[in-house]
Every structure is written in structure tokens, then in C-alpha cells.
Amino acid sequence: MIDINNIIETMDMIRLYNLDIRTVTLAVSLRDCISDDVDVLCENIYNKIKKYAKNLVEYADELADEYSIPIINKRIAVTPISLIGEACKNPDYVKIAKTLDKAAKEVGVNFVGGFSALVEKGCTKGDKLLIASIPEAMATTERVCSSVNLATSKAGINMDAVLKMSEMIKNAAELTKEQDGIGAAKIVVFCNVPGDNPFMAGAFCGMGEPECALNVGVSGPGVVRAAVEALPKDANMSELANKIKEIAYKITSTGELIGRKLSKKLDIPFGVIDLSLAPTPAVGDSVAGIFQAMGLEHAGAHGTTAALAMLNDAVKKGGIMASSHVGGLSGAFIPVSEDAGMIEAATNGHLSFDKLEAMTSVCSVGLDMIAIPGDTPVDTIAGIIADEMAIGMINKKTTAVRIIPAAGKKVGDKVFFGGLLGEAPIMPVSQLSSSGFVRRGGRIPAPIHSLNN
């Protein structure tokens, strides 16, 4: 029997509290596109993306209308391009990036991920060429995103690649300084990267994935905040966690429904639901707002890390009961520029860089969409990345860094990207030098749990 209260509650989630499907991401393997000629490779890539993604946007929009549930982003993730371009006798990774951009525009998606390399233990010829091409590729394309995995809990941290990627991030920001460094905003570096993540900039089609699959990223921080605010002020932590689990179950059920319907229409396998709470700059759609509903004066107050840990755990416990296949990042995102509450906290000085780093030990990703002064040395950026990789390596979790060294900007200024990427204040970083440490090179050994089999 249909419960009218459940129908009304779902309508309110969508209408009042910004419930949406944040992204449907089509993962496409490009392994059969490989050629020793880059022109043939690019033609193969373009044709394959067109073949599998030609109806993605149309069918997603039809389902959004049918169920009155907004599907905000339609995206594509492909096999790491460093692997696909390596066989070319005349490799041109920027040309491949432009092909991806052209195909993404043709099928109507807003981003394509997979301009990527996995270098936690070292770099091949293709990895080196791709990494060197990242700044130009990000500056000359609109929809292409890049990710590089620098560390794992079993391999340790590739410090040579950490330093190199710090240079590439700074170069990408410089090449796009007229757009406040948006090139760097499309680059993310990882520890323990998942191969089925539907969210950008880190999405790619992992080596263990099928020929094609549909992965779905749900959202709903505004829904969680509303549910927490509706609880009695004296509700204890167990009651608070149970309410979040209940709401996470309902949010995930929505994503599961849309994902399975869309995969059936596209005639491809359904992949995973990513349970992440992904905020937006819209008022009321903020993970930081959930902290305030829990009783903190603002994000950054003492207790914020504990609140985030409970939120992350409750979302996973509730969501996993609503889906047969959960994957990706799954947790709570804390991007500074993409969350209205985080933007406010950082602007007002409530949220420091060190506090953000502490929070990454329990969130689902890491230091995300943080703008720093454009004159920040490469060695300092490398130190920031190394710290974040260490948190992921030791804790056997995914961590990441998406940082924007905004050329010509200093503390007190802001960067403005618009849309889901939002805006961010320039945050101060340590003035102490990391140079002697990060330039030692080599690989930081993995901890002893790397021997677990």
C-alpha cells in the first residue's frame, strides 16, 4: 500500500532541500581503441564514445522528467589515457585530450574523466608523456578532467611523481590565470584511487571494469540537514546517527532506481552507487550546514572532525542497505569552493588549512577545491600533497588533493569559477620550506599492513 506521507516527504526533499542525482557517469573502456598511429587512435576513441554515449543525455533527461527527479550532470569516464596512448609511434596526448573534448561536446556531457595515469610505483614512457602534457591539455580543453594516482597503501608514495604533479598543477593554473586557474581545478591527485568513481575530476574506467557500465553519484546534504534540524534539540548522538542513516537510505534508493532504469534504457550494465554527499554553492545544500544543525556554531569549530566522522559513517551504513552495489568514493565531500557553508567558514577564518587536513582523515576524499596564493612554491604544494597521500596510505582509505595556486592572487582575494565549481577565498599556507624533504625523491615505503594478502 502506498504511504502518502512518503510521497510528500520525497516531494519536499526535491522541492525544498535540493535532493538530486548529482551525476550519471558512463564508464567506457578504450582498450580496443589502441593503435600505433595517434590519428587512428583518436578516430577510434571518438567513434567509441559516440557509439556508447549518443543517447546518454537524452535518456537521462527523459527519466528526470518521468520521475521529477533532477539529474544534474551527465558525464563520461574512460580508461586511463596514459595506457591508451602509450603504443603510439607518434604520441600526442594533447591531441587525444582534444579528441575527448570534441566527443564530450558532441554527445552533450559536461565532463569527461580519464586523462589519467597510475604511477604509485613508478612511471612508464606513456605516464611521463601524459603527465607532461596535463597543463596544456587542461588549458586547451573545456570538458576534460585529469587525475593521477600517486600512492597506495601497498605501494607507498611516489615522491618523484608528487613533485612532478605539483609542477604540473602550478603550470596549469598559470596557463589559465585569466579564468582564475580553472585548469588546476580540473586536476586531482590521489592515494588509493577507486576505478568506479562517478565524480569529477577523478573519474576513470578502471582496469577491472566491464566494456561499459553506468555509475551513479547521489547527493542530498540539504535533505540531511533538514532531517537533523527536525530532531528535538536534546536528541542524543545515537538518535542523530539513526536519523542520518534513515535519510541516507531514502536518498540512495532514489539513486538506485534512476541508475537501474537508465542502464536498462541504454542497454548497458549497472555499475555502482556512490553514496557521497556532494554539496553545491546553493544556499541550504551544504555539508557545513549539517555541522551547524548538529550543534556546532560553524564548520571549523572544535568537534567538526568528530561530526564529519559520524556523518560519513551514518551515510554509508544507511546507504549500503538501499543498493546492491556500492562503490566509488562514498562518504561526505568537503570541497571549499563548492559548498556555500565551507566558503563562508573559510572566508571568515573559521576554517584553517590545518583543520581541513585533519578532516580529510575521516571524509571520503581530501583537500578539495582549495585556492592558495599563486606564488606558493612548488615544493610547498608537493609537501601538501605528500601529507594528504600519507593520510590515505596509513589509514587504507582514498584521499586526494585538488588545489588551485591562483596566479596573481594573494590571501584575501577570491577565485570565481561559477556553476557547481563555485568560488573560493585564497587560503594561507605555511611559509616554512618543504624543499629539502620533497626533493629527496624515491618512494616513501608502504606501512607494514602492505604485506596483508
Side-chain angles (χ1 to χ4, degrees), residues 163-185:
L163 185 61
K164 187 65 177 177
M165 280 307 301
S166 302
E167 295 173 2
M168 296 304 100
I169 289 167
K170 188 155 185 178
N171 289 348
E174 180 67 33
L175 287 175
T176 54
K177 62 183 177 182
E178 301 302 321
Q179 300 166 282
D180 279 354
I182 196 169

Side-chain angles (χ1 to χ4, degrees), residues 30-42 44-45 79-93 96 124-130:
L30 299 183
R31 282 185 281 176
D32 59 349
C33 296
I34 292 173
S35 170
D36 63 357
D37 186 294
V38 72
D39 293 322
V40 175
L41 170 62
C42 288
N44 292 343
I45 289 172
T79 309
I81 292 297
S82 69
L83 305 174
I84 303 305
E86 196 163 40
C88 292
K89 294 177 182 177
N90 54 336
D92 186 341
Y93 281 94
I96 298 172
T124 65
K125 176 187 71 174
D127 296 330
K128 291 177 181 178
L129 289 172
L130 179 131

Side-chain angles (χ1 to χ4, degrees), residues 9 13 17 220-248 251 277 284 286-296 307-308 310-312 314-315:
E9 182 182 35
M13 286 180 181
Y17 307 124
V223 178
V224 174
R225 176 175 182 167
V228 172
E229 287 177 336
L231 287 172
K233 295 300 181 184
D234 60 351
N236 64 34
M237 291 295 183
S238 297
E239 293 167 330
L240 186 58
N242 283 334
K243 174 54 70 174
I244 295 171
K245 286 191 292 183
E246 177 187 320
I247 292 299
I251 293 170
L277 288 180
S286 164
V287 170
I290 300 173
F291 303 149
Q292 291 176 292
M294 288 179 173
L296 297 174
L308 178 58
M310 184 180 71
L311 173 63
N312 219 25
V315 167

Side-chain angles (χ1 to χ4, degrees), residues 129-157:
L129 289 172
L130 179 131
I131 288 172
S133 72
I134 287 174
E136 184 181 353
M138 295 303 100
T140 56
T141 62
E142 179 186 356
R143 303 167 193 238
V144 177
C145 291
S146 179
S147 60
V148 179
N149 195 65
L150 303 176
T152 67
S153 294
K154 287 202 169 187
I157 305 171

Side-chain angles (χ1 to χ4, degrees), residues 237-283:
M237 291 295 183
S238 297
E239 293 167 330
L240 186 58
N242 283 334
K243 174 54 70 174
I244 295 171
K245 286 191 292 183
E246 177 187 320
I247 292 299
Y249 178 89
K250 294 176 180 178
I251 293 170
T252 306
S253 297
T254 303
E256 179 87 358
L257 169 67
I258 294 299
R260 292 199 174 275
K261 291 287 185 181
L262 183 54
S263 63
K264 186 175 181 180
K265 283 174 74 73
L266 291 168
D267 193 27
I268 61 170
F270 175 69
V272 300
I273 292 283
D274 188 313
L275 304 178
S276 300
L277 288 180
T280 72
V283 174

